[in-house]
Amino acid sequence: MDSTTLTEFADHLIDDLTVGTDPGTDSLGRLLSETRMTVDDDAILAVMVAAVRLGNVAAYLLAQTSAAAERLAIPARKRLKNGAQLLTELGVAPAAACRAARVGRAAAGLAPVANALRDGALSIEHADAVVRGIAHIAGRTGAVQSAVDHDERGRIVASLMVQTTPREIETRARQIAIALTPAAGEADPAAIPVAENHDLNEMTLHQNDEGRITATLDVDVVTGEELHAALDPLCRPVPRPDGSPDPRSASRRRADAFGQILRTYLSGSERPTSGGVLPHVTLIRPILSGGDTPIVYSSADDTAEGGSVDILGFAGPITAATADLISCDCTATDVTVDDERAPLDVGRTRRLFPPRLRKALGARDRGCAFPGCGRPASWCDAHHMTEWKEGGETSVDNGVLLCRMHHVLIHHTGWEVFLGPDRHPWFRPPADPGSPGRRPAPLRSHARRTLTDLPHAAQAA
């Protein structure tokens, strides 16, 4: 088969996949567009198997032509760097082009992989995983050719090829590399696997134009395992009050769990100091007239138009709702400053909800009180039902334990929490926009929920 025949085959296949106007014509296009349940099951599966094999063969053809083009210096004559760029110019996605070029270069030294790909029995993704796995082993053991004999190398390739997924191939390659690395080389930094090299750890923090913090992590496998272990119990789904599934995505739950880990760390006393004091979140709040205000650090702010905003020590300005959230359960220090922001007086530091009150709230609420939650008390903030800045007392009757997710919900949405006649917290959902004027019935706290055949997991009596 030459290039002309291959082109004709492709054209014929395209024509056959096009649905014709003649109802009596049997073609792949008509089979796929006019499938009949049960009758066409075997035919559809047969076409799927053939398509998978054809795709693998086509991928082999791409890889081999890319390698041949590089040997002939075709990319260089077209002012391109390599075969991958040549494939990209022809419309192949960059990632797929790099994969094909990588497999094409390695195919000559990995005959079993090339043959399986050519026969349609191995996908290009699996072949590429084997190629990268062999490269990883070579990097860890010197050169595979010198580290192991030919028969052993063949067994390594065969061991990688029988793995089910590319990820399993990568894992198996790391296992083999560790097994082949001489124990005497463990003292050599070059012998440390990249995955275990603590010296390569990096973390970046960036604040975008909207004020959000973007973080990237690149850590060794042990640190990553510790992170997984810390996040796992904290990022499990929490059903909604009506028993429906947690609406948060996995990434959102993971982010919430990471925030809980940070808050737990900052609330502990056995940690390094920063500037002579334990590290903490610094919130600068403007002085408000009349009565006590939940000020961590107060200042006569001089923002434009005479307005004053709350400011975090690192991240900058935030809304009053988020500042109230932070101020609910914190250690407050009043710092009086003059018009030039020079400190005049530093008041006594005080804890809004001291340990004795938190213990009392824990005994009453037994964790997050939000209906359907019940997360442990150690994960919870103490929330003022009536805001402190509005005259609410710091007391058991005005406090409720809420995990951070539901604490944010109370501050940023229309949910209300109040003390019921039983001296336990009750929660009222936001009003239904479709039924203005009608307020939903309040729900008991999680610890006081009742068993009922009503559709709510926590229902008012």
Side-chain angles (χ1 to χ4, degrees), residues 104-186:
R105 297 185 197 106
L110 295 173
V113 176
N115 293 340
L117 184 60
R118 180 199 60 205
D119 295 341
L122 190 71
S123 73
I124 186 71
E125 291 81 11
H126 286 74
D128 183 48
V130 174
V131 169
R132 289 185 287 108
I134 292 296
H136 174 75
I137 296 171
R140 293 278 289 117
T141 61
V144 174
Q145 291 83 351
S146 60
V148 294
D149 59 28
H150 180 76
D151 292 339
E152 180 65 19
R153 185 168 183 267
R155 285 193 290 270
I156 290 174
V157 174
S159 176
L160 296 180
M161 289 179 63
V162 298
Q163 304 303 314
T164 307
T165 65
R167 181 60 180 269
E168 290 180 0
I169 293 174
E170 295 168 2
T171 301
R172 181 61 179 156
R174 293 201 302 271
Q175 292 174 341
I176 294 173
I178 292 172
L180 292 177
T181 303
E186 291 178 355

Side-chain angles (χ1 to χ4, degrees), residues 374-386:
R375 288 185 171 183
S378 60
W379 298 1
C380 295
D381 302 333
H383 168 71
H384 288 81
M385 297 185 195
T386 300

Side-chain angles (χ1 to χ4, degrees), residues 31-32 40-52:
L31 172 65
L32 298 177
D40 292 330
D41 286 4
D42 292 340
I44 291 295
L45 290 174
V47 170
M48 186 177 295
V49 170
V52 169

Side-chain angles (χ1 to χ4, degrees), residues 287 298-299 334-338 342-347:
I287 296 177
S298 63
S299 71
D334 292 333
V335 180
T336 305
V337 299
D338 60 18
L344 297 175
D345 178 66
V346 179

